[in-house]
Amino acid sequence: MRKIEHAMIAAVSNHRNWSSANTRVEIKGPHAMVFLHGNHIATLNRLDKALEIYGGRDCRWFSRTTFSRLNALALQFCGIRPFYTRKHVPMISTPTRDREWELGDFYSFNACGC
């Protein structure tokens, strides 16, 4: 995991605002929202104990950095790495199946590590 991802995880875990380079954590009530290049990519919802992933409404592209940040969050709080690419197609691995990850997708994982 990259240094910036360690710091991002620490900010989310400690429920503190944080910013470095292209990544920002913003706290609003029980929610720790993660932004990459100003795009909202994920929220850790402490009330529902859920990691909510946003794939398109605000996030206009899928990059290695996006997947790296999302996988770091999912690994820390859910114990999984669900995002990958197959033949240049973004994919998400869910408990029931692997499927294409499309712009506009939203997915929520049960987060045990809140």
Side-chain angles (χ1 to χ4, degrees):
M1 191 181 313
R2 300 172 184 180
K3 282 176 121 180
I4 199 163
E5 290 166 357
H6 281 288
M8 173 189 71
I9 296 294
V12 171
S13 294
N14 296 325
H15 213 64
R16 287 191 317 210
N17 289 322
W18 170 86
S19 180
S20 179
N22 58 13
T23 307
R24 182 176 91 240
V25 174
E26 191 175 302
I27 305 301
K28 289 205 177 175
H31 302 161
M33 300 180 299
V34 179
F35 296 84
L36 178 63
H37 295 292
N39 297 300
H40 186 199
I41 61 169
T43 297
L44 181 67
N45 182 334
R46 288 179 175 235
L47 291 179
D48 297 339
K49 294 196 181 225
L51 178 64
E52 301 161 351
I53 304 294
Y54 305 95
R57 187 178 65 233
D58 295 323
C59 184
R60 302 278 183 245
W61 68 91
F62 298 101
S63 69
R64 292 167 126 183
T65 305
T66 304
F67 277 31
S68 183
R69 299 293 190 271
L70 293 175
N71 277 325
L73 288 164
L75 183 62
Q76 177 68 32
F77 297 105
C78 307
I80 56 173
R81 287 181 172 260
F83 301 97
Y84 65 99
T85 57
R86 180 186 296 151
K87 296 182 182 178
H88 306 287
V89 175
M91 303 290 290
I92 181 171
S93 182
T94 67
T96 55
R97 66 184 173 98
D98 288 8
R99 65 177 177 83
E100 188 173 340
W101 183 243
E102 300 173 351
L103 287 176
D105 264 357
F106 166 81
Y107 198 84
S108 180
F109 294 96
N110 191 17
C112 322
C114 291

